[in-house]
Amino acid sequence: MPYVLIIHEVESYPAWKAVFDQAAGIRKQAGEICYRLLRYDHDANRIVHFSEWTSLDSARRFFESPELVALRKRAGVKAPEFLYLQEIEQGRL
């Protein structure tokens, strides 16, 4: 299964979250299947976005598109780090 892990700082979580929520339709259309949002324990503006995708190619095209670059800027994202990942194993203990 393909996944994307994004780590980034935002200027304001509530402002970023509003833009994130508004983009749900375009994320789904681009191939995002599901997501999890996490934040650093002591910094509410350090966000981790972990998502499952239909393909890594779809995810790369989406996240590297000019539309998304502009959207991130509008949302107050600072220096995002993208990791494109393939699952090799899953378990539950």
Side-chain angles (χ1 to χ4, degrees):
M1 185 61 61
Y3 294 93
V4 178
L5 178 71
I6 307 167
I7 302 170
H8 53 273
E9 183 178 354
V10 298
E11 291 173 9
S12 161
Y13 176 76
W16 174 85
K17 183 66 163 76
V19 174
F20 179 83
D21 289 345
Q22 291 168 0
I26 63 171
R27 293 192 336 263
K28 182 177 181 176
Q29 184 178 25
E32 186 177 53
I33 297 167
C34 62
Y35 69 90
R36 287 186 183 200
L37 296 177
L38 304 102
R39 70 172 176 86
Y40 280 40
D41 186 34
H42 299 291
D43 187 351
N45 290 326
R46 288 285 289 176
I47 306 301
V48 175
H49 173 194
F50 183 67
S51 53
E52 183 178 324
W53 283 77
T54 54
S55 78
L56 289 182
D57 287 339
S58 296
R60 277 191 185 95
R61 276 194 305 275
F62 178 72
F63 287 119
E64 295 171 10
S65 72
E67 178 183 15
L68 250 289
V69 171
L71 194 63
R72 282 195 299 270
K73 187 174 186 175
R74 188 175 64 134
V77 173
K78 302 175 187 179
E81 179 182 357
F82 294 87
L83 299 171
Y84 297 95
L85 308 163
Q86 285 286 353
E87 181 176 23
I88 56 174
E89 187 173 330
Q90 186 177 129
R92 187 174 298 258
L93 302 175

Coordinates of all heavy atoms in Angstrom, one line a residue:
M1 N 0.8 -1.2 0.0 CA 0.0 0.0 0.0 C 0.9 1.2 0.0 O 1.8 1.3 0.8 CB -0.9 0.0 1.2 CG -1.9 1.1 1.3 SD -3.1 1.1 0.0 CE -4.0 -0.5 0.2
P2 N 0.6 2.2 -0.8 CA 1.4 3.5 -0.8 C 0.9 4.5 0.2 O -0.3 4.7 0.4 CB 1.2 4.0 -2.2 CG 0.0 3.4 -2.8 CD -0.3 2.1 -2.0
Y3 N 1.9 5.1 0.9 CA 1.6 6.1 1.9 C 2.5 7.3 1.7 O 3.5 7.3 1.1 CB 1.9 5.6 3.3 CG 1.1 4.4 3.7 CD1 1.4 3.1 3.5 CD2 -0.2 4.7 4.4 CE1 0.6 2.1 3.9 CE2 -1.0 3.6 4.8 CZ -0.6 2.3 4.5 OH -1.4 1.3 5.0
V4 N 2.0 8.5 2.2 CA 2.8 9.7 2.2 C 2.8 10.2 3.6 O 1.8 10.3 4.3 CB 2.2 10.8 1.3 CG1 3.0 12.0 1.3 CG2 2.1 10.3 -0.2
L5 N 4.0 10.5 4.1 CA 4.2 11.1 5.4 C 4.7 12.6 5.2 O 5.7 12.7 4.5 CB 5.2 10.3 6.2 CG 5.5 10.9 7.6 CD1 4.3 10.7 8.5 CD2 6.7 10.2 8.2
I6 N 4.0 13.5 5.7 CA 4.4 14.9 5.5 C 4.6 15.5 6.9 O 3.7 15.4 7.8 CB 3.3 15.8 4.8 CG1 2.9 15.1 3.5 CG2 3.8 17.2 4.6 CD1 1.7 15.7 2.9
I7 N 5.7 16.1 7.1 CA 6.0 16.8 8.4 C 6.2 18.2 8.1 O 7.0 18.6 7.2 CB 7.3 16.2 9.1 CG1 7.1 14.7 9.3 CG2 7.6 16.9 10.4 CD1 8.4 14.0 9.7
H8 N 5.5 19.1 8.7 CA 5.6 20.5 8.5 C 5.2 21.4 9.7 O 4.4 20.9 10.5 CB 4.9 21.0 7.2 CG 3.5 20.6 7.1 ND1 3.0 19.4 6.7 CD2 2.3 21.2 7.5 CE1 1.7 19.3 6.7 NE2 1.3 20.4 7.2
E9 N 5.7 22.6 9.7 CA 5.3 23.6 10.6 C 4.3 24.5 10.0 O 4.4 24.8 8.8 CB 6.5 24.4 11.1 CG 6.1 25.4 12.2 CD 7.3 26.1 12.7 OE1 8.5 25.8 12.3 OE2 7.1 27.1 13.5
V10 N 3.3 24.9 10.7 CA 2.3 25.8 10.2 C 2.2 27.1 11.0 O 2.6 27.0 12.2 CB 0.9 25.2 10.1 CG1 0.9 24.0 9.1 CG2 0.4 24.7 11.4
E11 N 1.8 28.2 10.4 CA 1.8 29.4 11.2 C 0.7 29.3 12.3 O 0.9 29.8 13.4 CB 1.5 30.6 10.3 CG 2.6 30.9 9.3 CD 2.3 31.9 8.3 OE1 1.2 32.6 8.4 OE2 3.2 32.1 7.4
S12 N -0.4 28.7 11.9 CA -1.6 28.6 12.9 C -2.3 27.3 12.5 O -2.8 27.2 11.4 CB -2.5 29.8 12.7 OG -3.8 29.5 13.3
Y13 N -2.4 26.4 13.5 CA -3.1 25.1 13.2 C -4.6 25.4 12.8 O -5.0 24.8 11.8 CB -3.0 24.2 14.4 CG -3.9 22.9 14.1 CD1 -3.4 21.9 13.3 CD2 -5.1 22.8 14.7 CE1 -4.1 20.8 13.0 CE2 -5.9 21.6 14.4 CZ -5.4 20.7 13.5 OH -6.1 19.6 13.2
P14 N -5.4 26.2 13.5 CA -6.8 26.4 13.1 C -6.9 26.9 11.6 O -7.7 26.5 10.9 CB -7.3 27.4 14.1 CG -6.5 27.2 15.3 CD -5.1 26.9 14.8
A15 N -6.0 27.9 11.2 CA -6.0 28.4 9.9 C -5.7 27.3 8.9 O -6.3 27.2 7.8 CB -5.1 29.6 9.8
W16 N -4.6 26.6 9.2 CA -4.2 25.5 8.3 C -5.3 24.4 8.2 O -5.6 24.0 7.1 CB -2.9 24.8 8.8 CG -2.5 23.6 8.1 CD1 -1.8 23.6 6.9 CD2 -2.8 22.2 8.4 NE1 -1.6 22.3 6.5 CE2 -2.3 21.4 7.3 CE3 -3.6 21.6 9.4 CZ2 -2.4 20.1 7.3 CZ3 -3.7 20.3 9.3 CH2 -3.1 19.5 8.3
K17 N -5.9 24.1 9.3 CA -6.9 23.0 9.3 C -8.1 23.4 8.4 O -8.7 22.6 7.7 CB -7.4 22.7 10.7 CG -8.4 21.6 10.8 CD -7.8 20.2 10.4 CE -8.6 19.1 10.9 NZ -9.9 18.8 10.2
A18 N -8.5 24.7 8.4 CA -9.6 25.1 7.6 C -9.3 24.9 6.1 O -10.1 24.4 5.4 CB -9.9 26.6 7.9
V19 N -8.1 25.2 5.7 CA -7.7 25.0 4.3 C -7.6 23.5 4.0 O -8.1 23.1 3.0 CB -6.4 25.8 4.0 CG1 -5.9 25.4 2.6 CG2 -6.5 27.3 4.2
F20 N -7.1 22.8 4.9 CA -7.0 21.3 4.8 C -8.3 20.7 4.6 O -8.5 19.9 3.6 CB -6.3 20.7 6.0 CG -6.2 19.2 6.0 CD1 -5.1 18.6 5.3 CD2 -7.1 18.4 6.6 CE1 -5.0 17.2 5.3 CE2 -7.0 17.0 6.6 CZ -5.9 16.4 6.0
D21 N -9.3 21.1 5.4 CA -10.7 20.6 5.3 C -11.3 21.0 3.9 O -12.0 20.2 3.3 CB -11.5 21.0 6.4 CG -11.1 20.3 7.7 OD1 -10.4 19.3 7.7 OD2 -11.5 20.8 8.8
Q22 N -11.1 22.2 3.5 CA -11.7 22.7 2.3 C -11.1 21.9 1.1 O -11.7 21.8 0.0 CB -11.4 24.2 2.1 CG -12.1 25.0 3.0 CD -11.6 26.5 3.0 OE1 -10.7 26.8 2.3 NE2 -12.2 27.3 3.9
A23 N -9.9 21.4 1.2 CA -9.2 20.6 0.1 C -9.6 19.2 0.1 O -9.0 18.4 -0.7 CB -7.7 20.8 0.2
A24 N -10.5 18.7 0.9 CA -10.8 17.3 1.0 C -11.2 16.7 -0.3 O -10.8 15.6 -0.7 CB -11.9 17.0 2.1
G25 N -12.0 17.4 -1.1 CA -12.5 16.9 -2.4 C -11.4 16.8 -3.4 O -11.3 15.8 -4.1
I26 N -10.5 17.7 -3.4 CA -9.4 17.6 -4.4 C -8.4 16.6 -4.0 O -7.8 15.9 -4.8 CB -8.7 19.0 -4.7 CG1 -8.1 19.6 -3.5 CG2 -9.7 19.9 -5.4 CD1 -7.2 20.8 -3.8
R27 N -8.2 16.4 -2.7 CA -7.3 15.3 -2.2 C -7.9 13.9 -2.6 O -7.2 13.1 -3.1 CB -7.1 15.4 -0.7 CG -6.4 16.6 -0.2 CD -5.9 16.6 1.2 NE -6.6 15.7 2.1 CZ -7.6 16.2 2.9 NH1 -8.0 17.4 2.9 NH2 -8.2 15.3 3.8
K28 N -9.2 13.8 -2.4 CA -9.9 12.5 -2.7 C -9.8 12.3 -4.2 O -9.5 11.2 -4.7 CB -11.3 12.5 -2.3 CG -12.0 11.2 -2.6 CD -13.5 11.2 -2.0 CE -14.1 9.9 -2.3 NZ -15.5 9.8 -1.7
Q29 N -10.1 13.3 -5.0 CA -10.0 13.2 -6.5 C -8.6 12.8 -7.0 O -8.4 12.1 -7.9 CB -10.5 14.5 -7.1 CG -10.6 14.4 -8.6 CD -11.1 15.7 -9.2 OE1 -11.0 16.8 -8.5 NE2 -11.7 15.7 -10.4
A30 N -7.6 13.3 -6.2 CA -6.2 13.0 -6.6 C -5.8 11.6 -6.2 O -4.7 11.2 -6.7 CB -5.3 14.1 -6.0
G31 N -6.5 11.0 -5.3 CA -6.1 9.6 -5.0 C -5.9 9.3 -3.5 O -5.5 8.2 -3.1
E32 N -6.1 10.3 -2.6 CA -6.0 10.1 -1.2 C -7.1 9.2 -0.7 O -8.3 9.6 -1.0 CB -5.9 11.4 -0.4 CG -5.6 11.2 1.1 CD -5.5 12.5 1.8 OE1 -6.4 13.3 1.8 OE2 -4.4 12.6 2.5
I33 N -6.8 8.2 0.0 CA -7.9 7.2 0.4 C -8.3 7.6 1.9 O -9.5 7.6 2.2 CB -7.4 5.8 0.3 CG1 -7.1 5.5 -1.1 CG2 -8.3 4.8 1.0 CD1 -6.3 4.2 -1.3
C34 N -7.3 7.8 2.7 CA -7.6 8.1 4.1 C -6.3 8.8 4.7 O -5.3 8.8 4.1 CB -7.9 6.8 4.9 SG -6.6 5.6 5.0
Y35 N -6.5 9.4 5.9 CA -5.4 10.2 6.4 C -5.5 10.2 8.0 O -6.5 9.8 8.5 CB -5.4 11.6 6.0 CG -6.6 12.4 6.5 CD1 -6.5 13.1 7.7 CD2 -7.8 12.5 5.8 CE1 -7.6 13.9 8.2 CE2 -8.9 13.2 6.3 CZ -8.7 13.9 7.5 OH -9.8 14.6 8.0
R36 N -4.4 10.5 8.6 CA -4.3 10.8 10.0 C -3.5 12.1 10.2 O -2.5 12.3 9.5 CB -3.6 9.7 10.7 CG -4.3 8.4 10.9 CD -3.6 7.4 11.7 NE -4.4 6.2 11.7 CZ -4.3 5.3 12.6 NH1 -3.4 5.4 13.6 NH2 -5.0 4.2 12.6
L37 N -3.9 12.9 11.1 CA -3.2 14.1 11.5 C -2.7 13.9 12.9 O -3.4 13.5 13.8 CB -4.1 15.3 11.4 CG -4.7 15.7 10.0 CD1 -5.6 16.9 10.1 CD2 -3.5 16.0 9.0
L38 N -1.4 14.3 13.1 CA -0.8 14.2 14.4 C -0.1 15.5 14.6 O 0.3 16.2 13.7 CB 0.1 13.0 14.5 CG -0.4 11.7 14.2 CD1 -0.1 11.2 12.8 CD2 0.0 10.6 15.2
R39 N 0.1 15.8 15.9 CA 0.9 17.0 16.2 C 2.0 16.6 17.2 O 1.9 15.7 17.9 CB 0.1 18.2 16.7 CG -0.5 17.9 18.1 CD -1.2 19.2 18.6 NE -1.8 19.0 19.9 CZ -1.2 19.1 21.0 NH1 0.1 19.4 21.1 NH2 -1.8 18.9 22.2
Y40 N 3.0 17.4 17.2 CA 4.1 17.2 18.1 C 3.5 17.5 19.5 O 2.6 18.3 19.7 CB 5.3 18.2 17.9 CG 6.2 17.8 16.8 CD1 5.7 17.2 15.6 CD2 7.6 17.9 16.9 CE1 6.6 16.8 14.6 CE2 8.4 17.6 15.9 CZ 7.9 17.0 14.7 OH 8.8 16.6 13.7
D41 N 4.0 16.8 20.5 CA 3.5 16.8 21.9 C 3.5 18.2 22.5 O 2.5 18.6 23.1 CB 4.3 15.8 22.7 CG 3.8 15.7 24.1 OD1 2.6 15.8 24.3 OD2 4.6 15.5 25.1
H42 N 4.5 19.0 22.2 CA 4.6 20.3 22.8 C 4.6 21.4 21.8 O 5.0 22.5 22.2 CB 5.9 20.4 23.7 CG 5.9 19.4 24.8 ND1 5.1 19.4 25.9 CD2 6.7 18.2 24.9 CE1 5.3 18.4 26.7 NE2 6.3 17.7 26.1
D43 N 4.1 21.2 20.6 CA 4.1 22.2 19.6 C 2.9 22.0 18.7 O 3.0 21.2 17.8 CB 5.4 22.2 18.8 CG 5.5 23.4 17.9 OD1 4.5 24.1 17.7 OD2 6.5 23.6 17.3
A44 N 1.8 22.6 19.0 CA 0.5 22.4 18.2 C 0.6 22.8 16.7 O -0.2 22.5 15.9 CB -0.6 23.2 18.9
N45 N 1.7 23.6 16.4 CA 1.9 24.0 15.0 C 2.9 23.2 14.2 O 3.2 23.5 13.1 CB 2.3 25.5 15.0 CG 1.1 26.4 15.4 OD1 0.0 26.1 15.1 ND2 1.4 27.5 16.1
R46 N 3.3 22.1 14.8 CA 4.2 21.1 14.1 C 3.3 19.9 13.8 O 2.8 19.2 14.7 CB 5.4 20.6 14.9 CG 6.5 21.6 15.1 CD 7.3 21.8 13.9 NE 8.2 20.7 13.6 CZ 8.9 20.6 12.6 NH1 9.0 21.5 11.7 NH2 9.7 19.5 12.4
I47 N 2.9 19.7 12.5 CA 1.9 18.8 12.1 C 2.5 17.6 11.3 O 3.4 17.8 10.5 CB 0.9 19.5 11.2 CG1 0.3 20.7 11.9 CG2 -0.2 18.5 10.8 CD1 -0.4 20.4 13.2
V48 N 2.0 16.4 11.5 CA 2.3 15.3 10.8 C 1.1 14.8 10.1 O 0.0 14.6 10.7 CB 2.9 14.1 11.6 CG1 3.1 12.9 10.8 CG2 4.2 14.6 12.3
H49 N 1.1 14.8 8.8 CA 0.0 14.3 7.9 C 0.4 13.0 7.3 O 1.3 12.9 6.5 CB -0.3 15.4 6.9 CG -1.3 15.0 5.8 ND1 -1.5 15.7 4.7 CD2 -2.2 14.0 5.8 CE1 -2.5 15.1 3.9 NE2 -2.9 14.1 4.6
F50 N -0.3 11.9 7.7 CA 0.0 10.6 7.2 C -1.2 10.1 6.4 O -2.3 10.1 7.0 CB 0.3 9.6 8.4 CG 0.7 8.2 8.1 CD1 1.9 8.0 7.4 CD2 -0.1 7.2 8.3 CE1 2.3 6.7 7.1 CE2 0.2 5.9 8.0 CZ 1.4 5.6 7.3
S51 N -1.0 9.7 5.2 CA -2.1 9.4 4.3 C -1.8 8.2 3.4 O -0.7 7.9 3.1 CB -2.5 10.6 3.5 OG -1.4 11.1 2.8
E52 N -2.9 7.5 3.1 CA -2.8 6.3 2.2 C -3.3 6.8 0.9 O -4.3 7.6 0.8 CB -3.8 5.2 2.8 CG -3.8 4.0 2.0 CD -4.7 2.9 2.7 OE1 -4.8 2.9 3.9 OE2 -5.3 2.2 1.9
W53 N -2.7 6.3 -0.2 CA -3.0 6.8 -1.5 C -3.2 5.6 -2.5 O -2.7 4.5 -2.2 CB -1.8 7.6 -2.1 CG -1.8 9.0 -1.5 CD1 -1.4 9.4 -0.2 CD2 -2.3 10.2 -2.1 NE1 -1.7 10.7 0.0 CE2 -2.2 11.2 -1.1 CE3 -2.9 10.5 -3.3 CZ2 -2.6 12.5 -1.4 CZ3 -3.3 11.8 -3.6 CH2 -3.1 12.8 -2.7
T54 N -3.8 5.9 -3.6 CA -4.0 4.9 -4.6 C -2.7 4.5 -5.3 O -2.5 3.4 -5.7 CB -5.1 5.4 -5.7 OG1 -4.6 6.6 -6.2 CG2 -6.4 5.5 -5.1
S55 N -1.8 5.5 -5.4 CA -0.5 5.3 -6.0 C 0.4 6.4 -5.6 O 0.0 7.5 -5.3 CB -0.5 5.2 -7.5 OG -0.6 6.4 -8.1
L56 N 1.7 6.1 -5.5 CA 2.7 7.1 -5.2 C 2.8 8.1 -6.3 O 3.1 9.3 -6.1 CB 4.1 6.5 -4.8 CG 4.1 5.7 -3.5 CD1 5.5 5.2 -3.3 CD2 3.7 6.6 -2.3
D57 N 2.7 7.7 -7.5 CA 2.7 8.6 -8.7 C 1.6 9.7 -8.5 O 1.9 10.9 -8.8 CB 2.6 7.9 -10.0 CG 3.9 7.1 -10.4 OD1 5.0 7.5 -9.8 OD2 3.8 6.2 -11.2
S58 N 0.4 9.2 -8.2 CA -0.7 10.2 -8.0 C -0.4 11.1 -6.9 O -0.7 12.3 -7.0 CB -2.0 9.4 -7.7 OG -2.4 8.6 -8.7
A59 N 0.2 10.6 -5.8 CA 0.5 11.5 -4.6 C 1.5 12.5 -5.0 O 1.4 13.7 -4.7 CB 1.0 10.6 -3.5
R60 N 2.6 12.1 -5.7 CA 3.7 13.0 -6.1 C 3.1 14.1 -7.0 O 3.4 15.3 -6.9 CB 4.8 12.3 -6.8 CG 5.8 11.6 -5.9 CD 7.0 11.1 -6.7 NE 7.9 10.4 -5.8 CZ 7.8 9.1 -5.6 NH1 7.0 8.3 -6.3 NH2 8.7 8.5 -4.7
R61 N 2.3 13.7 -8.0 CA 1.7 14.7 -8.9 C 0.9 15.7 -8.2 O 1.0 16.9 -8.4 CB 0.9 14.0 -10.0 CG 1.6 13.5 -11.2 CD 0.7 13.1 -12.3 NE -0.3 12.2 -12.0 CZ -0.2 10.9 -12.0 NH1 1.0 10.3 -12.3 NH2 -1.2 10.1 -11.7
F62 N 0.1 15.2 -7.2 CA -0.7 16.1 -6.4 C 0.1 17.1 -5.6 O -0.1 18.3 -5.6 CB -1.7 15.3 -5.6 CG -2.5 16.1 -4.7 CD1 -3.6 16.8 -5.2 CD2 -2.3 16.1 -3.3 CE1 -4.4 17.6 -4.4 CE2 -3.1 16.9 -2.5 CZ -4.2 17.6 -3.0
F63 N 1.0 16.5 -4.8 CA 1.7 17.4 -3.8 C 2.7 18.3 -4.5 O 3.1 19.3 -4.0 CB 2.4 16.5 -2.8 CG 1.5 15.9 -1.8 CD1 1.3 14.6 -1.7 CD2 0.7 16.7 -1.0 CE1 0.4 14.0 -0.7 CE2 -0.2 16.2 -0.1 CZ -0.3 14.8 0.1
E64 N 3.2 18.0 -5.7 CA 4.2 18.8 -6.4 C 3.5 19.7 -7.4 O 4.2 20.5 -8.1 CB 5.2 17.9 -7.1 CG 6.0 17.1 -6.1 CD 6.9 16.1 -6.6 OE1 7.1 16.0 -7.9 OE2 7.5 15.3 -5.9
S65 N 2.2 19.7 -7.5 CA 1.5 20.5 -8.5 C 1.5 22.0 -8.1 O 1.5 22.3 -6.9 CB 0.0 20.1 -8.6 OG -0.7 20.4 -7.5
P66 N 1.5 22.9 -9.0 CA 1.5 24.3 -8.7 C 0.3 24.7 -7.8 O 0.4 25.6 -7.0 CB 1.4 25.0 -10.1 CG 2.0 24.0 -11.0 CD 1.6 22.7 -10.5
E67 N -0.9 24.1 -8.1 CA -2.1 24.3 -7.3 C -1.8 24.1 -5.8 O -2.2 24.8 -4.9 CB -3.2 23.5 -7.8 CG -4.5 23.6 -7.0 CD -5.6 22.7 -7.5 OE1 -5.3 21.7 -8.2 OE2 -6.8 23.0 -7.1
L68 N -1.1 22.9 -5.5 CA -0.9 22.6 -4.1 C 0.2 23.5 -3.5 O 0.1 23.8 -2.3 CB -0.5 21.1 -4.0 CG -1.6 20.3 -3.3 CD1 -1.7 20.5 -1.8 CD2 -2.9 20.4 -4.0
V69 N 1.2 23.8 -4.3 CA 2.2 24.8 -3.8 C 1.5 26.1 -3.3 O 1.8 26.6 -2.2 CB 3.3 25.0 -4.8 CG1 4.2 26.1 -4.4 CG2 4.1 23.7 -5.1
A70 N 0.6 26.6 -4.1 CA -0.1 27.8 -3.8 C -1.0 27.6 -2.6 O -1.1 28.5 -1.7 CB -0.9 28.3 -5.0
L71 N -1.6 26.4 -2.5 CA -2.5 26.1 -1.4 C -1.8 26.1 -0.1 O -2.2 26.6 0.9 CB -3.3 24.8 -1.7 CG -4.5 24.5 -0.8 CD1 -5.6 25.6 -1.0 CD2 -5.0 23.1 -1.2
R72 N -0.6 25.4 -0.1 CA 0.2 25.3 1.1 C 0.7 26.7 1.6 O 0.6 27.0 2.8 CB 1.5 24.5 0.9 CG 1.2 23.0 0.9 CD 2.5 22.2 1.0 NE 3.4 22.4 -0.1 CZ 3.4 21.6 -1.2 NH1 2.5 20.7 -1.4 NH2 4.3 21.9 -2.2
K73 N 1.0 27.6 0.6 CA 1.4 28.9 1.0 C 0.3 29.7 1.6 O 0.4 30.3 2.6 CB 1.9 29.7 -0.3 CG 2.5 31.0 0.0 CD 3.1 31.6 -1.3 CE 3.8 32.9 -0.9 NZ 4.4 33.5 -2.1
R74 N -0.9 29.5 1.0 CA -2.1 30.2 1.6 C -2.5 29.7 3.0 O -2.9 30.4 3.9 CB -3.3 30.0 0.7 CG -4.5 30.8 1.1 CD -5.6 30.6 0.0 NE -6.0 29.2 0.0 CZ -7.3 28.8 0.0 NH1 -8.3 29.6 0.0 NH2 -7.6 27.5 0.0
A75 N -2.1 28.4 3.2 CA -2.4 27.7 4.5 C -1.4 28.0 5.6 O -1.5 27.6 6.7 CB -2.6 26.2 4.3
G76 N -0.3 28.7 5.2 CA 0.8 29.0 6.2 C 1.7 27.9 6.5 O 2.3 27.8 7.6
V77 N 1.9 27.0 5.5 CA 2.9 25.9 5.7 C 4.3 26.4 5.5 O 4.6 27.1 4.6 CB 2.5 24.7 4.7 CG1 3.6 23.7 4.8 CG2 1.2 24.2 4.9
K78 N 5.1 25.9 6.5 CA 6.6 26.3 6.4 C 7.4 25.0 6.1 O 7.3 24.0 6.8 CB 7.0 26.9 7.7 CG 6.3 28.1 8.2 CD 6.7 28.5 9.5 CE 5.9 29.6 10.1 NZ 6.3 30.0 11.4
A79 N 8.2 25.0 5.1 CA 9.1 24.0 4.7 C 8.6 22.5 4.9 O 9.2 21.8 5.8 CB 10.4 24.2 5.5
P80 N 7.7 22.1 4.1 CA 7.2 20.7 4.3 C 8.3 19.7 3.9 O 9.0 19.9 3.0 CB 6.0 20.6 3.4 CG 6.2 21.6 2.4 CD 7.0 22.7 3.0
E81 N 8.3 18.6 4.6 CA 9.1 17.4 4.2 C 8.2 16.3 3.8 O 7.3 15.9 4.6 CB 10.0 17.0 5.4 CG 10.9 15.8 5.1 CD 11.7 15.3 6.3 OE1 11.6 16.0 7.4 OE2 12.4 14.3 6.1
F82 N 8.4 15.8 2.6 CA 7.5 14.7 2.1 C 8.3 13.4 2.1 O 9.5 13.4 1.6 CB 7.1 15.0 0.7 CG 6.2 16.2 0.6 CD1 6.7 17.5 0.5 CD2 4.8 16.0 0.6 CE1 5.8 18.6 0.4 CE2 3.9 17.1 0.5 CZ 4.5 18.4 0.4
L83 N 7.7 12.3 2.6 CA 8.3 11.0 2.5 C 7.2 10.1 1.8 O 6.1 10.0 2.2 CB 8.6 10.4 3.9 CG 9.6 11.2 4.7 CD1 9.6 10.7 6.1 CD2 11.0 11.1 4.1
Y84 N 7.6 9.5 0.6 CA 6.8 8.7 -0.1 C 7.1 7.2 0.2 O 8.3 6.8 0.1 CB 6.9 8.9 -1.6 CG 6.5 10.4 -2.0 CD1 7.4 11.4 -2.0 CD2 5.1 10.6 -2.2 CE1 7.0 12.7 -2.3 CE2 4.7 11.9 -2.5 CZ 5.7 12.9 -2.6 OH 5.2 14.2 -2.9
L85 N 6.2 6.5 0.7 CA 6.5 5.2 1.4 C 5.7 4.0 0.8 O 4.5 4.2 0.5 CB 6.2 5.3 2.9 CG 6.9 6.5 3.6 CD1 6.2 6.7 4.9 CD2 8.4 6.2 3.8
Q86 N 6.2 2.8 0.8 CA 5.5 1.6 0.4 C 5.5 0.7 1.7 O 6.5 0.5 2.3 CB 6.2 0.9 -0.7 CG 6.1 1.5 -2.1 CD 4.7 1.3 -2.6 OE1 3.8 0.5 -2.1 NE2 4.4 1.9 -3.8
E87 N 4.3 0.3 2.0 CA 4.2 -0.6 3.2 C 4.8 -2.0 2.9 O 4.7 -2.5 1.8 CB 2.7 -0.8 3.5 CG 2.5 -1.7 4.7 CD 1.0 -1.8 5.1 OE1 0.1 -1.6 4.2 OE2 0.7 -2.1 6.2
I88 N 5.6 -2.5 3.9 CA 6.1 -3.8 3.8 C 5.6 -4.8 4.8 O 5.6 -6.0 4.6 CB 7.7 -3.8 3.9 CG1 8.2 -3.1 5.1 CG2 8.3 -3.1 2.6 CD1 9.7 -3.2 5.3
E89 N 5.0 -4.2 5.9 CA 4.4 -5.1 6.9 C 3.5 -4.3 7.8 O 3.7 -3.1 8.0 CB 5.5 -5.8 7.7 CG 5.0 -6.8 8.7 CD 6.2 -7.5 9.4 OE1 7.3 -7.7 8.8 OE2 6.0 -8.0 10.5
Q90 N 2.5 -4.9 8.3 CA 1.6 -4.3 9.3 C 1.3 -5.3 10.4 O 1.2 -6.5 10.1 CB 0.3 -3.9 8.6 CG -0.6 -3.1 9.5 CD -1.8 -2.6 8.8 OE1 -2.9 -2.8 9.3 NE2 -1.7 -2.0 7.6
G91 N 1.2 -4.9 11.6 CA 0.8 -5.8 12.7 C 0.2 -5.1 13.8 O 0.1 -3.8 13.9
R92 N -0.4 -5.8 14.7 CA -1.1 -5.2 15.9 C -0.7 -6.1 17.1 O -0.9 -7.3 17.0 CB -2.6 -5.1 15.7 CG -3.3 -4.4 16.8 CD -4.8 -4.3 16.4 NE -5.0 -3.5 15.3 CZ -5.3 -2.2 15.3 NH1 -5.5 -1.6 16.4 NH2 -5.5 -1.5 14.2
L93 N -0.3 -5.5 18.1 CA 0.1 -6.3 19.3 C -0.9 -6.0 20.5 O -1.5 -5.0 20.6 CB 1.5 -6.0 19.8 CG 2.6 -6.2 18.7 CD1 3.9 -5.7 19.2 CD2 2.6 -7.7 18.3

